[in-house]
Amino acid sequence: MKAKKWIMSILGGIVLLAGVIYLGGVFYFNNHFLFGTEVSGERVDQVSLNEAADKIDHNLKERQVNVKENGQAVGSLKLADYVSLPSGSEVVKIAKAAQNSWAWPVELFDQSKLKLQSVALKGDVGEDASNQAFKALKIDNDQREKSQDAEIQATADKKDYEIKAEKVGNQVDQSQFISLLNTAINKSKDAIDLKDAYIQPRVKANDTSFKTMVTRLDQLAKDPLTMTVGTQKVEIPTERVRQWLTVNDQDKITVDQNAVDKYLAQWNQENAGLWTSHSFNSTLSGQVTVQPGTYGWYLSEPKTSEAMVQALNNNEHQVTATVVGKGSDQDNFFGHTYVEVDISKQKMLIYQNGNQVFSTDVATGADVTKTVPGAYQVWNKESPSVLVGTNGYTGEAYRTPVSYWLAFDDRGQGIHDASWQPKFGGDWYHEHGSNGCVNVSPDVMGQVFSLIEVGTPVIVF
């Protein structure tokens, strides 16, 4: 019986002691944090709440985020300079509310109640603060390398297209930097790396849409572009067409019209009938070369360029050029109705539909005022007319009435009767020839005038 009472006394003492310890813990932890508690990375147990508030306050004000770039230190940012930080007492109040002093025996073993890393911390770095941080870290994107998008380019042999891989530069994206810094604050990280905020290329080589575009470009430039110019077919090689195809900022295939314009301008200079010399089988002097003049044709560059761009956009490989002038739509550049002026023979011959219908001696420009050879065409007929100009040798002005006038170039050269000439043909013209025009005997000039119409080619050689 005594032993039983003794056991009951011991058990009662243990319960009483446990109760005292428990209540003592409740009382203690009402004014202290649980043992092992960390708030925002700062150990705050075993000190009063006021002392904990002071400790946290000091810690927050001194807290920094170290900034690295590819593993190398760039600088550090004191958070108090860039974000609004809570006071130590605010942090303690929130942290303490997360712990229940009545449940301290259980929560002492609950890490979620002890490791309160981000209590009351919130990253709210804005644009102004990030500008300040950029300045402090000496981040100047103008001095940094831009990222380069992946590009589509022609292969070295110009037969296909290939993708040039993108390149990541080291310019810093401000919005990404803000996000990086705020995340570090929210998660109590003490370091960030600028490379995680680099501006990334917009277009990357492994993009499916980009690869599809290369396939489309290959299809578009697979065949040459054929341009019809009058009676001839001009094949523009695929290598040239590829140079015109580009991909714009919206990732769409476009035709570089400026490049097409340049091509047509060069083609005109090298091939247009108006600006190139022509071989001509003359009646009296055989095969001769006729220099360019006012007769001929050329491509209308704006209209032809527009047609080319439209054809390529429609994946078509045939285009008809817009031609201005004469001579492109016939097998013979000069056609079969024309006037020959053979300076060396001092002869003028008129052809209609391939047949010679007239021939006469003439007097062309004197040696000091030579007739300028070239491919011309009659652009005006007058009867009668008055020739007005200045002698190219003496500089004297003249005003001479004539019965017939056929103008054929832009220098004032033409065909007209010359009643003052005592003779025509032979070597007379060397010293007594015209001021550049083709002088014809008044006896036959009326017939010449009736045979030649406006637009008739005049071939002077």
Side-chain angles (χ1 to χ4, degrees):
M1 190 68 179
K2 288 182 180 181
K4 185 175 181 181
K5 287 182 179 181
W6 181 77
I7 292 173
M8 290 300 293
S9 296
I10 292 175
L11 289 176
I14 291 173
V15 171
L16 180 61
L17 178 62
V20 170
I21 292 173
Y22 171 73
L23 291 174
V26 170
F27 177 79
Y28 180 80
F29 292 125
N30 266 331
N31 297 289
H32 296 78
F33 284 104
L34 297 173
F35 300 138
T37 300
E38 291 182 5
V39 177
S40 298
E42 188 70 26
R43 187 77 177 259
V44 292
D45 59 341
Q46 299 183 17
V47 294
S48 69
L49 296 182
N50 288 336
E51 290 174 324
D54 292 339
K55 195 173 184 180
I56 291 172
D57 197 53
H58 176 77
N59 174 271
L60 290 176
K61 290 178 180 178
E62 295 300 318
R63 185 176 172 189
Q64 297 183 135
V65 172
N66 296 316
V67 181
K68 300 179 180 180
E69 186 166 19
N70 294 313
Q72 300 295 317
V74 174
S76 59
L77 300 174
K78 185 178 286 189
L79 296 188
D81 295 336
Y82 301 99
V83 296
S84 299
L85 297 175
S87 66
S89 58
E90 290 177 311
V91 174
V92 166
K93 182 178 180 180
I94 295 173
K96 195 68 184 75
Q99 295 181 345
N100 184 355
S101 59
W102 292 96
W104 67 266
V106 176
E107 292 188 356
L108 276 174
F109 302 97
D110 186 348
Q111 290 297 310
S112 66
K113 300 295 184 177
L114 302 178
K115 305 296 183 182
L116 306 174
Q117 294 288 356
S118 57
V119 170
L121 288 184
K122 180 180 181 182
D124 58 359
V125 176
E127 185 175 347
D128 290 341
S130 70
N131 287 335
Q132 183 181 347
F134 266 42
K135 187 175 181 180
L137 296 171
K138 297 181 180 179
I139 299 174
D140 184 358
N141 277 338
D142 290 339
Q143 302 300 319
R144 288 173 167 259
E145 184 180 1
K146 289 183 178 180
S147 291
Q148 298 176 12
D149 289 342
E151 295 179 345
I152 297 174
Q153 60 185 15
T155 55
D157 58 9
K158 305 297 184 182
K159 293 183 179 180
D160 291 295
Y161 283 97
E162 62 184 3
I163 296 177
K164 179 182 178 182
E166 72 279 3
K167 181 179 179 182
V168 180
N170 62 357
Q171 289 187 334
V172 180
D173 185 320
Q174 187 171 11
S175 61
Q176 187 62 29
F177 174 78
I178 291 173
S179 175
L180 202 63
L181 189 54
N182 283 334
T183 299
I185 295 170
N186 292 337
K187 295 187 176 181
S188 296
K189 293 182 178 180
D190 60 3
I192 60 174
D193 197 319
L194 284 180
K195 71 177 183 179
D196 296 328
Y198 284 167
I199 297 174
Q200 297 296 307
R202 186 179 57 86
V203 180
K204 298 184 177 181
N206 60 0
D207 291 349
T208 302
S209 60
F210 207 54
K211 293 179 179 179
T212 301
M213 202 174 305
V214 174
T215 302
R216 286 182 56 209
L217 282 168
D218 281 331
Q219 293 174 343
L220 192 59
K222 179 176 63 176
D223 299 316
L225 178 65
T226 301
M227 176 174 65
T228 301
V229 183
T231 59
Q232 65 175 315
K233 302 288 185 182
V234 179
E235 187 174 279
I236 303 172
T238 56
E239 291 83 357
R240 174 70 72 169
V241 175
R242 288 180 189 278
Q243 295 174 11
W244 300 344
L245 302 178
T246 59
V247 179
N248 65 16
D249 293 339
Q250 286 73 45
D251 295 334
K252 292 184 179 180
I253 297 173
T254 61
V255 182
D256 185 344
Q257 187 148 10
N258 288 333
V260 177
D261 291 343
K262 289 180 180 178
Y263 169 81
L264 291 175
Q266 181 180 357
W267 193 94
N268 253 342
Q269 288 296 324
E270 296 174 355
N271 300 280
L274 182 62
W275 299 315
T276 54
S277 59
H278 297 272
S279 180
F280 175 68
N281 188 20
S282 69
T283 305
L284 302 175
S285 298
Q287 205 74 20
V288 297
T289 299
V290 181
Q291 298 302 314
T294 60
Y295 172 81
W297 57 268
Y298 62 93
L299 300 184
S300 168
E301 294 170 18
K303 292 183 179 180
T304 304
S305 176
E306 183 179 344
M308 277 189 173
V309 171
Q310 184 175 351
L312 289 172
N313 283 335
N314 294 334
N315 201 18
E316 298 171 354
H317 292 81
Q318 302 284 336
V319 64
T320 299
T322 299
V323 178
V324 179
K326 295 182 177 181
S328 68
D329 57 352
Q330 51 198 21
D331 54 357
N332 182 325
F333 176 68
F334 295 105
H336 301 284
T337 296
Y338 52 83
V339 178
E340 281 187 49
V341 178
D342 190 330
I343 295 176
S344 65
K345 300 293 191 291
Q346 287 293 286
K347 287 284 187 179
M348 182 173 72
L349 304 94
I350 301 175
Y351 279 81
Q352 290 183 345
N353 300 318
N355 299 311
Q356 182 181 319
V357 296
F358 189 82
S359 176
T360 185
D361 291 332
V362 296
T364 59
D367 288 349
V368 293
T369 53
K370 292 181 179 181
T371 299
V372 180
Y376 305 108
Q377 63 179 329
V378 175
W379 60 270
N380 184 37
K381 290 177 66 173
E382 290 183 4
S383 178
S385 186
V386 177
L387 307 181
V388 179
T390 302
N391 186 289
Y393 179 65
T394 65
E396 296 179 356
Y398 63 81
R399 184 179 180 84
T400 306
V402 294
S403 297
Y404 303 98
W405 167 244
L406 296 165
F408 63 68
D409 80 348
D410 53 4
R411 298 183 182 90
Q413 294 187 146
I415 304 169
H416 62 82
D417 51 295
S419 58
W420 55 90
Q421 291 282 14
K423 58 187 297 186
F424 299 88
D427 295 331
W428 176 257
Y429 77 103
H430 286 298
E431 294 186 11
H432 307 287
S434 71
N435 195 37
C437 289
V438 179
N439 286 179
V440 179
S441 169
D443 295 339
V444 298
M445 186 59 207
Q447 187 178 358
V448 169
F449 190 83
S450 65
L451 289 172
I452 301 174
E453 299 297 332
V454 171
T456 302
V458 178
I459 310 164
V460 183
F461 54 91

